[in-house]
Amino acid sequence: MAEYPIYIKGKKAGRLWEQRQGLYTTFTAKACGTEPVFLRVYGGDKCAPLGRLLPRGGELFLSRRMTRNDMRGWPENIEYAGDESAAGEKRSQPQEPPPQDAGKAKTAGGDRVWYAQQNGVLLCPNEGLIALPAALREKRWVLSRIRVINGKEYLVFRR
């Protein structure tokens, strides 16, 4: 089992454990704090999203099981984990919405402004919404969450 430090807001705040279990790799993280934090892993010049640390039992906790395919494009050797401030200038993915004119997409009614992110994800920071591309075979279970944005179907959730 490998163990890595977690840095939140520039300070060491917890530990991340990586353990192989057959075809899966399980990541377990515990950190100090009460506010949810989006956790990334860093190594070399790369970073990759791991998930959100959520409050549980007075601390932040994350457990995630991933396949080798899920970890494609990840750093070869993980050095540490942390929030976006942990990377400093090495950060390779923009975290802020792009400037007002770049990457805008509006719904048919023109009531929301969506910002395009990586992998086709759209963000609406004004209303705290996230839209994921809905390439599903069976949609009847999620029909209430599907919205059409710029002619494509998305699953829309509150952040």
Side-chain angles (χ1 to χ4, degrees):
M1 181 183 313
E3 188 173 323
Y4 310 102
I6 295 175
Y7 295 97
I8 299 174
K9 296 181 183 173
K11 297 180 182 175
K12 189 173 178 181
R15 307 296 292 161
L16 171 70
W17 294 274
E18 174 187 20
Q19 182 177 12
R20 292 281 305 178
Q21 295 176 336
L23 296 175
Y24 297 96
T25 302
T26 301
F27 292 93
T28 307
K30 289 185 179 181
C32 300
T34 56
E35 293 294 317
V37 174
F38 189 76
L39 191 65
R40 296 177 178 276
V41 292
Y42 297 93
D45 288 337
K46 291 185 175 182
C47 74
L50 181 59
R52 190 170 296 278
L53 283 165
L54 297 173
R56 183 170 125 184
E59 61 187 357
L60 297 173
F61 180 80
L62 166 91
S63 181
R64 181 141 186 227
R65 190 170 86 164
M66 303 177 79
T67 64
R68 190 182 309 177
N69 195 31
D70 294 333
M71 296 170 50
R72 200 170 354 137
W74 277 40
E76 289 290 322
N77 296 312
I78 297 172
E79 297 171 11
Y80 60 95
D83 59 0
E84 68 267 0
S85 66
E89 296 302 314
K90 289 186 186 179
R91 184 169 62 187
S92 63
Q93 300 174 357
Q95 297 299 311
E96 300 298 322
Q100 291 294 348
D101 294 333
K104 271 191 193 177
K106 290 192 176 187
T107 60
D111 57 346
R112 292 188 179 113
V113 177
W114 295 92
Y115 294 95
Q117 302 294 305
Q118 290 185 343
N119 300 328
V121 175
L122 300 177
L123 292 179
C124 179
N126 296 343
E127 297 184 37
L129 298 174
I130 185 168
L132 306 174
L136 305 172
R137 283 187 230 133
E138 185 63 46
K139 296 179 185 175
R140 64 184 164 143
W141 303 108
V142 293
L143 280 176
S144 64
R145 295 203 177 268
I146 291 182
R147 301 288 180 265
V148 177
I149 303 169
N150 282 352
K152 294 183 181 177
E153 289 184 336
Y154 289 88
L155 289 169
V156 178
F157 302 96
R158 292 239 171 250
R159 291 178 76 194

